[in-house]
Amino acid sequence: ASAALVLVQICAWAALGALFEGSIDADVAEGVVDGREWQLSYLRHPPLSSWLSGVASTTGPWRYFVLFAIALTFGCGAFALVSLFIRRVDGRAASLVALLAGLGSPYATYWPFKFNHNIGVMPFWALVLWTAWNAFEGGSLASWALFGAVVGFGLWAKYAILHLVAPLGVAFLLVPEWRKRLAGPGPWLAAAITVA
C-alpha cells in the first residue's frame, strides 16, 4: 500500500507540474530545454542534478514531466527510505506516520518543481543516516564500506551532505560503544571509499 501511495504521489505531481511548465523557474527551464554537458564536475555545483536535467532534455515534449518525475522520485524516495528505516527500528505505525508526513511536505510536492541540487541530495541524506546507523551499531566492514560509498556518491549530488556527516562524527565520539570502533579499520575504510 505504501509503494502504491508513493507511485500515485509521483505521477500526480509530475503531471501537475507539466501542466504549468510555463511558470517554472527560469533556471530549471533552461536546464531542461538546453540540456547539460556530461562532465564530472562543475565550478558551482556537483554534477548529478545537471546530469538529470540533461536526461530530461532528451525526451522532447515529455521533458518537463520526466524532470518532475525524476525530482519527485528523489524526494519521495528519501521519505520512503526514512519510513523503511523507522519501521525497522520503531515499528509499522511510526513508519506510516513518517511516510505520510514526508509525502505531505513541500519537499515531496512544491519543491520538486524547482528541481535543483537540494532535490538531488535527498535520498543520499536518508541513506547516509541509515548506513551510518548500521555501521555504528553493527560495525562490520561491509557496513562501513557502504556508508563510505553513500557519502561519496552523495557528494556528487551536493556537498552539503557533509553537514550531515559532521554531526554524525560528533555522535560517534559521544557514544562510548561507538567510540571504541575508532580503533578498528571500519571508519578508515569508509573515509577511503568516500575519497575514492
Side-chain angles (χ1 to χ4, degrees), residues 1-181:
S2 295
L5 185 61
V6 170
L7 186 60
V8 168
Q9 173 100 354
I10 292 169
C11 291
W13 279 94
L16 181 65
L19 287 175
F20 296 101
E21 65 185 61
S23 62
I24 67 171
D25 289 358
D27 58 342
V28 176
E30 179 184 73
V32 178
V33 172
D34 298 335
R36 300 283 190 220
E37 294 181 20
W38 291 80
Q39 300 175 4
L40 289 179
S41 64
Y42 289 83
L43 294 176
R44 233 179 123 208
H45 293 295
L48 180 63
S49 293
S50 297
W51 287 349
L52 295 174
S53 66
V55 168
S57 72
T58 66
T59 59
W62 289 90
R63 63 187 180 270
Y64 287 101
F65 178 83
V66 170
L67 182 77
F68 299 140
I70 291 171
L72 285 155
T73 299
F74 271 59
C76 294
F79 293 117
L81 287 167
V82 169
S83 176
L84 289 171
F85 174 67
I86 291 174
R87 182 175 183 168
R88 183 177 154 219
V89 298
D90 198 34
R92 188 172 184 167
S95 168
L96 182 60
V97 169
L99 180 63
L100 291 175
L103 294 181
S105 77
Y107 291 98
T109 53
Y110 173 72
W111 284 107
F113 301 150
K114 296 177 169 289
F115 180 76
N116 57 33
H117 300 274
N118 297 316
I119 295 298
V121 78
M122 286 182 67
F124 292 103
W125 199 271
L127 283 170
V128 164
L129 284 173
W130 193 333
T131 57
W133 177 267
N134 290 339
F136 290 5
E137 283 290 300
S140 73
L141 286 181
S143 295
W144 281 106
L146 190 57
F147 174 54
V150 169
V151 173
F153 283 114
L155 288 170
W156 276 26
K158 190 171 183 181
Y159 302 133
I161 200 74
L162 295 177
H163 290 180
L164 175 59
V165 175
L168 289 174
V170 172
F172 189 81
L173 293 173
L174 293 177
V175 178
E177 296 79 20
W178 295 350
R179 193 168 53 237
K180 292 175 188 173
R181 298 194 195 282

